[in-house]
Amino acid sequence: CLVPVRAFYEAHATERIVNEETGKAVRRQYRFRMPGARVFLLAGVQLDGCFSIVTTEPNASVAPIHDRMPLVLGPGESKIWIGQGFTELADRSPIALVPEAEQSRDLNA
């Protein structure tokens, strides 16, 4: 299936911040969006009305923050994902994403 999103979030593997609501240390969240796109598509699988997002190896934009990422579809790739050639979409290195750090108090500040 195809899942339209405006962004997706990943937690940093080691970077921690203070949650303003609880005062506890939590992993910093990063929001990833696709420059120039208001909405983009993630690859998913569905069964019986439920769905899951497919993940893959992170590209250069996501790798410094997390060890996996959603399978982000580029322009024209939705037909490939739904068709027979979906395995060719495993390499996401050409997909440009912009990370934005969550705004909370930094533990090192």
Side-chain angles (χ1 to χ4, degrees):
C1 65
L2 304 171
V3 182
V5 298
R6 292 184 182 184
F8 66 89
Y9 289 81
E10 294 290 0
H12 195 282
T14 59
E15 192 177 339
R16 296 211 176 271
I17 58 171
V18 174
N19 180 299
E20 292 181 4
E21 293 178 13
T22 66
K24 295 182 180 181
V26 296
R27 295 190 305 163
R28 184 184 296 268
Q29 296 286 317
Y30 281 81
R31 177 178 168 232
F32 289 88
R33 59 183 179 77
M34 189 177 289
R38 291 183 53 196
V39 175
F40 57 97
L41 297 172
L42 303 181
V45 293
Q46 68 88 24
L47 178 66
D48 297 331
C50 298
F51 74 94
S52 292
I53 302 297
V54 174
T55 60
T56 189
E57 295 291 321
N59 65 13
S61 302
V62 179
I65 294 161
H66 203 66
D67 63 353
R68 69 177 181 269
M69 65 179 266
L71 200 157
V72 177
L73 299 173
E77 291 183 328
S78 58
K79 290 179 183 179
I80 298 169
W81 176 248
I82 293 177
Q84 298 296 318
F86 63 89
T87 56
E88 71 184 69
L89 296 175
D91 178 13
R92 299 291 75 204
S93 57
I95 301 293
L97 299 166
V98 176
E100 298 168 346
E102 176 184 90
Q103 300 298 316
S104 288
R105 288 185 295 144
D106 195 324
L107 286 177
N108 298 321

